[in-house]
Amino acid sequence: MKRLLDLRFLIGILFSVYGMILVIYGAVSHPVTQTVHWNIDFWWGILSLVFGLVFIALSRIPEKQDEDDV
Amino acid sequence: MHGLFHANGVDYSIIAIYFVFVIGVGFVLKSRVRTGEDFFLSGRSIPGWITGLAFLSANLGALEIMGMTASGAEYGMITTHFYWIGAIPAMLFLGLYMMPFYYVSKVRSVPEYLKLRFNEATRGVNAVSFAVMTVLTSGISLYSMALIFQVLIGWSLTTSILASAVVVLVYVTLGGLTSSIYNEVIQFFLIWAGLLPIPLIGMHNLGGWNGMLSRLPAGFGHLWSNMGSASSNPMGIGWLGVVLGLGFVLSFGYWTTDFLVVQRTLAARNLRAAQNTPIYAAFFKMIVPILVIIPGLIALAVFPKIGHTPGMSYNLALPLLISKYYPPGMMGLGLTAMLASFMSGMAGNVTAFTTVWTYDIYQAYMRKDASDKHYVAMGRWAVLGGIVISIGTAYIAAGFPSVMDYMQTLFSFFNAPLFGTFLLGMFWRRTTAWGGFWGLVCGIASAFALYYLIPAHVFSSPDAGNFWRAWWAWFITVALTVIVSLITKPKTAEELKGIVFGLSNRPNYAGFPWYKRPGYLATIAFVILVALNVVFW
């Protein structure tokens, strides 16, 4: 439950899910537009997935409590 | 109905996942909200990087994203003045000099600070004007978002308005300010994920920065070199108007006294985090032009007829680029980014409205001594009320095509004088309660008077009118506050302890490493800011 309150974990989950959707969709249907001929879904999906996993990993580090001010 | 896009299943699932996700976050956070402090101030427990991103994103609504891209296409790089001369210096000033008074005095809202520093009447004026402006703004952003979705994917106005309003209602009611802040941070990352490919692809296709500029009117790549006089640039305003009106009065007024943004800093867990909130935000704010102004330039290079052809208004710069560059999948992500920015902007307005309504109007004038539980319940009802009024104003906005510019103008009526009041109140001990009150009231009145008495065509553009009017409203506020203060009785040093410069302890961070100290961070931000202005001169 505590992890669900951690914003880093929430961001990680959302981006991992979006990354996976884009990677799978990009790999299966090879979408292109008139101006862009490389598989932007697939590659941007990989980046999103990596970003999401990094945030999930970051959320395993306990948050520092700075008790330094009034 | 058909829109510009033909969204398919994968696009709709990406949008649906976002809706489910934010409502889910609301339910998770509900368990944490027990007291009024939790609901309205997030229990003053949020780390600095989170409040910093939220501070920035509360302002980065759909209106801002679409509007700044449109402005980039219309005026070129000088639009960046809204960021680099406008927002950043004000944010650094808030963090370094004003936060200690806001945070240490333990106020729950901007109007409450005015009550402490001046009197009940000053608070009342600010609370009521802020509440009215905020619900009007959130209604107008609701309407403009619905309009975007109507153009893009063919949803009807009513469907878009109701769907977005219900989602905002659910998550803000459940989690209060924390829900808002969490969604603002998530939105910040979503905007980058959803929109960054546009400048990347655009620059690549156009042959880089110089390749892009070669297709644009001369001077579109510069900040200052065409600002010598008002007639030498398309925005119709010279450097002095930009520096005084936009850089000084309007931006400082907005970023340092508007409760919508200040509320995020109050949620920070300690004074140092509160001071660093706007300073962290300044670093991120500096790079936002990559997402909004550069796509505007790209849009003009790719669609040279934009702004001069029916169906291709400047406001559609960003959607047109999305539909040109994005395949299904990415399109869903781009739409989600815009939807998220709209919803978090609206949630920001609603939470700020809720707090001011509950603490500064309801508790101050209707029920003074109810239980904490009662005020939390009132806060939740205020969310509902604020959203219902917003839906109403959204339909009113639908009837007035130019209401957006008009609102922007109205909004600056209140922030410019308020900044004068704050500056004197915080830094000049002699300022009296009634000096503050009369200065503020007359400043607001004179802004209205200037607006109605001076015909619009006197100024070369609406922006020029706004900038100069803001400057004079601020000037009148300051002059009157000083005059009335000199003839009324000042507050004693005891009453002003901790809320006025010179009568409070300056925070001392000598024991901290440099990257945690507000002074060092703000200096670094300032150096980068100067460098940016020189590079794009």
Side-chain angles (χ1 to χ4, degrees), chain B residues 109-283:
Chain B
S109 66
V110 167
E112 197 169 343
Y113 179 84
L114 290 171
K115 182 191 170 198
L116 270 186
R117 176 61 185 87
F118 300 105
N119 53 22
E120 188 63 59
T122 315
R123 172 213 224 172
V125 170
N126 180 237
V128 172
S129 60
F130 179 79
V132 171
M133 285 299 116
T134 308
V135 284
L136 287 180
T137 324
S138 88
I140 283 159
S141 54
L142 193 52
Y143 166 68
S144 49
M145 189 65 212
L147 204 59
I148 294 164
F149 269 72
Q150 188 182 37
V151 174
L152 294 187
I153 47 181
W155 290 359
S156 81
L157 275 186
T158 305
T159 313
S160 312
I161 288 179
L162 290 182
S164 330
V166 166
V167 176
V168 173
L169 175 70
V170 171
Y171 77 74
V172 178
T173 318
L174 291 170
L177 181 60
T178 313
S179 269
S180 260
I181 287 181
Y182 273 35
N183 279 296
E184 281 154 12
V185 175
I186 292 166
Q187 171 238 332
F188 180 81
F189 290 108
L190 270 179
I191 286 184
W192 284 92
L195 301 182
L196 186 59
I198 288 180
L200 296 181
I201 298 170
M203 283 286 182
H204 181 75
N205 283 4
L206 294 169
W209 178 251
N210 290 326
M212 179 184 75
L213 286 189
S214 69
R215 297 175 199 223
L216 297 175
F220 262 49
H222 291 282
L223 288 178
W224 293 104
S225 55
N226 296 317
M227 302 295 288
S229 72
S231 54
S232 59
N233 65 72
M235 208 182 254
I237 184 157
W239 66 273
L240 188 65
V242 166
V243 172
L244 287 182
L246 173 67
F248 183 56
V249 176
L250 274 180
S251 304
F252 276 77
Y254 179 77
W255 289 101
T256 66
T257 68
D258 195 292
F259 184 53
L260 169 63
V261 288
V262 173
Q263 188 174 29
R264 272 83 202 136
T265 64
L266 297 179
R269 58 160 66 129
N270 57 39
L271 176 59
R272 196 175 53 80
Q275 286 195 278
N276 279 337
T277 294
I279 298 172
Y280 289 154
F283 283 99

Side-chain angles (χ1 to χ4, degrees), chain A residues 1 4-5 7-8 10-11 14-15 18 21-22 25 31 33 35-36 40-41 44 51 63-64 66 68-69, chain B residues 8 10 14 17-18 21 29 47 49 182 189 193 197 201 269-270 272 324-330 509 512:
Chain A
M1 190 63 191
L4 281 178
L5 289 172
L7 187 52
R8 296 169 300 182
L10 295 171
I11 292 171
L14 185 68
F15 276 83
Y18 278 163
I21 291 176
L22 287 177
Y25 184 77
T33 60
T35 43
V36 185
I40 166 175
D41 277 13
W44 200 251
F51 180 85
E63 272 190 78
K64 274 185 248 129
D66 288 328
D68 45 40
D69 284 296
Chain B
N8 72 15
V10 64
I14 288 177
I17 287 171
Y18 176 73
F21 184 79
L29 291 175
W49 70 274
Y182 273 35
F189 290 108
I201 298 170
R269 58 160 66 129
N270 57 39
R272 196 175 53 80
K324 186 175 172 68
Y325 289 155
Y326 280 1
M330 275 313 292
Y509 302 118
F512 286 95

Side-chain angles (χ1 to χ4, degrees), chain B residues 80 83-85 88-89 92 223-224 279-280 282-290 514 520-537:
Chain B
T80 314
Y83 293 81
W84 293 345
I85 187 75
I88 309 292
L92 300 179
L223 288 178
W224 293 104
I279 298 172
Y280 289 154
F283 283 99
F284 292 113
K285 185 81 176 170
M286 273 191 254
I287 52 174
V288 171
I290 297 173
W514 64 271
Y520 281 86
L521 292 173
T523 309
I524 295 170
F526 193 77
V527 170
I528 299 176
L529 179 71
V530 171
L532 284 172
N533 274 287
V534 171
V535 169
F536 291 97
W537 188 272

Side-chain angles (χ1 to χ4, degrees), chain B residues 396-410:
Chain B
I396 297 174
F400 296 93
S402 67
V403 80
M404 258 158 57
D405 285 341
Y406 196 65
M407 274 305 303
Q408 201 66 14
T409 311
L410 271 183

